[in-house]
Amino acid sequence: NSPIKNICYRDLHCDNQNTLLLASDILYEPSSMNSLATKLQSLLHPNNGGYALIADPLKERTIGCRDSFVKSVKNKGGEVAILDMPKLENTGVLESDMDIDGSLAKTVLIVVHFKGTNSE
């Protein structure tokens, strides 16, 4: 959990040549996945592109939502990899991090990459 809710790239006053977006638990409605892919692409550095790292429960909240998101990203020219997250110790977690059976919820990392206009 982070107390930072919004931050503007220009407010950082740095000459970042790439962008890294972090998100969690944002894949809920399959019909909104095209809009989400469009928004992520628009938030990345226009010339150099960048990455979005999305943590998502292994067990989808809405079946087919992840596939819809991957398809939307690829249709916009992006690349996607889905990686299993390592199992963490059950310390310092929130109740919302737990599955219904009391075990720590398994998570995947969705890595999205959009190339910018300077990319070959």
Side-chain angles (χ1 to χ4, degrees):
N1 294 325
S2 173
I4 298 172
K5 294 188 181 196
N6 291 303
I7 191 164
C8 180
Y9 172 76
R10 289 182 297 274
D11 292 340
L12 296 176
H13 303 292
C14 64
D15 187 22
N16 184 9
Q17 296 301 306
N18 293 288
T19 306
L20 177 64
L21 304 173
L22 304 175
S24 177
D25 302 300
I26 60 172
L27 306 181
Y28 287 97
E29 179 58 46
S31 64
S32 68
M33 294 300 98
N34 189 53
S35 295
L36 177 60
T38 299
K39 179 51 108 177
L40 290 176
Q41 185 179 30
S42 73
L43 291 171
L44 298 175
H45 193 285
N47 297 326
N48 299 309
Y51 292 86
L53 306 179
I54 303 168
D56 199 49
L58 176 63
K59 183 179 178 181
E60 289 183 272
R61 288 179 184 81
T62 306
I63 302 299
C65 197
R66 190 175 298 137
D67 287 340
S68 178
F69 177 69
V70 169
K71 182 179 177 183
S72 293
V73 168
K74 289 182 176 181
N75 284 343
K76 296 187 175 316
E79 301 168 351
V80 181
I82 300 175
L83 311 170
D84 291 329
M85 296 288 286
K87 185 176 180 179
L88 301 174
E89 295 296 320
N90 191 358
T91 57
V93 295
L94 303 172
E95 184 177 334
S96 61
D97 295 329
M98 306 302 284
D99 271 338
I100 196 164
D101 66 0
S103 65
L104 191 59
K106 294 178 182 168
T107 305
V108 295
L109 179 66
I110 303 169
V111 181
V112 177
H113 178 232
F114 282 107
K115 296 178 179 177
T117 57
N118 289 345
S119 300
E120 295 179 16

